[in-house]
Amino acid sequence: MKADTRHLALPFFDDAHRTLGEQLAAWVPAQQVDESDDRRACKEWVRLLGDAGWLRYCVPASAGGAMDKLDSRALVILRETLAFHSPLADFAFAMQGLGSGAITLAGTPAQQAAYLPAVARGDKIAAFALSEPDAGSDAGAMTTSADACQGGWALNGCKTWISNGDIADFYVTFAKTDMAAGTRGITAFIVDAGKPGLDSSEHIAVMAPHPLATLKFAHCKLPGEAQLGALNGGFKLAMQTLDIFRASVAAAALGMARRALTEAVRFSRERKMFGQTLADFQLTQAKIGEMAALIDAAALLTYRAAWLRDDSEASGAGKRITAEAEGRRDRTVAAAMAKMTATENAQRVIDMALQMHGGLGVKVGTKVESLYRDIRSLRIYEGATEVQQLIIGKAVLQS
Ligand code: COS
């Protein structure tokens, strides 16, 4: 089933985006991956996406990427289209970007050369290790520590909910380098899988299976070169990385919602009852209308957030938006609005599509049944809806 690409005509996109969207929409339905084992399937998707060149959109051109900079609109098109077909394919793609994003933003030339081209080829699997058992939404409350020791650093602590945990080749890990300094005492590190002192064997099973694990660090020694970005600059680096990818989480939700609507429309046209089709009932038409409007509202916020980010990068700070701080706040708020609205709307759209399917909607193996499970975690990860509300609310009060 080919995804609808009519939205690519919107003025947020340029011709390169339209070509990318059309080519991907034609490529992805032809891929067959057995997803019964999420770890194996995720690796296979990374391989397919890498071989076909799609992972090149996760890194900049200087490191083998497809475009000069990480292009938010390209990321949005990729995630939306992949999620329409397979949320696991979207996950595999997104994690290559999120896991390597901080290296793109703050890596030294040597770090970028060592990791980014391999990420773009699908030769290295990336992960982003921020959350802890007692530090999820309150990321600044982390307690994993990095202490200076001879020749580098020693990490101690625990990270959890780590996507790609145990299948990743490296983990961009955030740890406290100054316990008393709160968010200003966090530094990022690149931790290669298999380092002595790193145990990633505790897998976490979730309702929509994807690779997820807890990482335990016990005197895990890292060389000085493993430090990523400025000492004590890790919190901002994490937030900047999340800013890029939050709009793309919105896009993944959008792809799932569009798929649910497609399924609902198809089913309602085929399903016969009371001498007509389900689609002939006004109740169905009203629901379909509501679903389409929820999707469009989410799409416009998502594309705006991506466009705003790309536009500010292209024009440089200050062309359209005078103060840099204001510009950052606008981009952060736009990404937060997109993530919150698209994930919440997608949950409603998918629920309506499932309801329309009646008993079939809850039958294991039906597309709407798996979408119902797939969408749920998007309202939580990379900043729960409540965190997005907080980001937006604080900004509105400050403006
Ligand atoms: N870009 C750059 N800098 C940012 C930033 C951003 N998007 N957001 C915050 N900062 C900076 C602030 O400017 C502030 O800098 P100063 O120390 O110089 O003043 C610093 O970071 C701390 O910001 P703030 O006071 O807003 O931090 P809080 O501890 O209140 O936390 C939230 C803010 C809740 C928004 C943050 O912790 C968050 O996003 N949590 C969710 C984490 C998350 O997404 N987890 C999922 C992980 S991946 S699955």
Side-chain angles (χ1 to χ4, degrees):
M1 182 189 294
K2 187 173 174 288
D4 192 344
T5 51
R6 279 175 295 179
H7 55 276
L8 293 172
L10 287 168
F12 293 107
F13 301 114
D14 61 29
D15 285 344
H17 297 120
R18 294 183 184 108
T19 307
L20 160 68
E22 293 294 350
Q23 288 177 345
L24 181 66
W27 176 83
V28 68
Q31 312 308 309
Q32 296 297 332
V33 172
D34 172 1
E35 296 188 348
S36 54
D37 175 337
D38 57 295
R39 280 157 197 275
R40 200 185 54 217
C42 191
K43 286 183 183 173
E44 198 176 332
W45 273 118
V46 169
R47 171 59 38 229
L48 288 171
L49 292 163
D51 287 349
W54 302 118
L55 296 179
R56 292 174 59 235
Y57 288 90
C58 293
V59 306
S62 55
M67 299 177 81
D68 282 351
K69 295 187 173 153
L70 285 184
D71 185 273
S72 288
R73 287 166 297 168
L75 291 173
V76 155
I77 291 169
L78 276 145
R79 292 203 61 183
E80 181 180 337
T81 313
L82 291 171
F84 181 91
H85 291 280
S86 158
L88 200 59
D90 163 62
F91 168 86
F93 173 83
M95 283 316 302
Q96 291 297 92
L98 182 66
S100 66
I103 303 179
T104 294
L105 291 176
T108 61
Q111 287 171 331
Q112 295 192 343
Y115 292 94
L116 299 182
V119 165
R121 290 191 303 268
D123 291 344
K124 274 191 194 293
I125 293 184
F128 181 81
L130 179 70
S131 301
E132 299 188 359
D134 292 321
S137 291
D138 186 6
M142 67 177 65
T143 56
T144 293
S145 61
D147 298 301
C149 64
Q150 205 184 4
W153 299 93
L155 261 60
N156 285 287
C158 178
K159 295 283 172 187
T160 195
W161 311 116
I162 307 308
S163 291
N164 279 346
D166 213 31
I167 66 164
D169 292 287
F170 66 93
Y171 301 88
V172 166
T173 305
F174 297 84
K176 283 266 167 81
T177 32
D178 181 347
M179 278 293 179
T183 55
R184 293 183 178 187
I186 293 169
T187 304
F189 297 90
I190 307 174
V191 184
D192 289 320
K195 276 266 168 218
L198 166 62
D199 175 2
S200 59
S201 62
E202 191 181 320
H203 297 179
I204 306 169
V206 280
M207 62 198 276
H210 66 272
L212 200 63
T214 294
L215 310 180
K216 290 180 187 137
F217 297 92
H219 206 71
C220 177
K221 278 201 75 177
L222 303 177
E225 308 85 74
Q227 182 186 321
L228 176 60
L231 183 66
N232 296 326
F235 187 80
K236 283 185 188 172
L237 182 55
M239 293 301 121
Q240 284 162 350
T241 310
L242 288 169
D243 272 351
I244 302 174
F245 289 95
R246 270 179 188 151
S248 79
V249 180
L254 194 54
M256 293 183 208
R258 286 195 198 280
R259 179 61 182 267
L261 177 60
T262 304
E263 296 291 329
V265 167
R266 184 184 54 76
F267 184 75
S268 68
R269 283 181 177 144
E270 287 168 4
R271 176 87 165 112
K272 301 270 192 307
M273 54 168 63
F274 301 107
Q276 52 185 0
T277 68
L278 191 57
D280 291 323
F281 288 92
Q282 278 198 335
L283 266 177
T284 308
Q285 292 159 14
K287 282 287 173 215
I288 299 271
E290 190 180 349
M291 290 158 85
L294 285 169
I295 289 173
D296 263 14
L300 291 175
L301 282 178
T302 304
Y303 303 152
R304 178 187 72 163
W307 171 81
L308 202 55
R309 192 176 168 279
D310 291 341
D311 185 61
S312 68
E313 294 263 313
S315 53
K319 189 176 165 200
R320 283 172 193 256
I321 301 158
T322 42
E324 166 56 11
E326 259 182 50
R328 178 179 80 65
R329 194 181 60 205
D330 287 352
R331 293 194 294 280
T332 300
V333 168
M337 284 186 177
K339 202 245 172 203
M340 176 184 82
T341 306
T343 56
E344 294 291 333
N345 286 9
Q347 181 88 60
R348 286 175 63 194
V349 167
I350 292 168
D351 187 54
M352 284 189 252
L354 187 150
Q355 186 74 10
M356 216 175 274
H357 278 69
L360 270 180
V362 291
K363 184 172 174 225
V364 174
T366 308
K367 187 64 188 174
V368 288
E369 180 274 334
S370 59
L371 284 171
Y372 189 78
R373 289 182 289 107
D374 288 320
I375 190 60
R376 191 61 186 85
S377 62
L378 275 69
R379 290 168 54 208
I380 299 171
Y381 71 59
E382 286 185 45
T385 291
E386 293 73 12
V387 167
Q388 311 309 330
Q389 289 170 335
L390 202 69
I391 291 171
I392 301 163
K394 268 188 184 177
V396 170
L397 286 166
Q398 278 166 9
S399 62

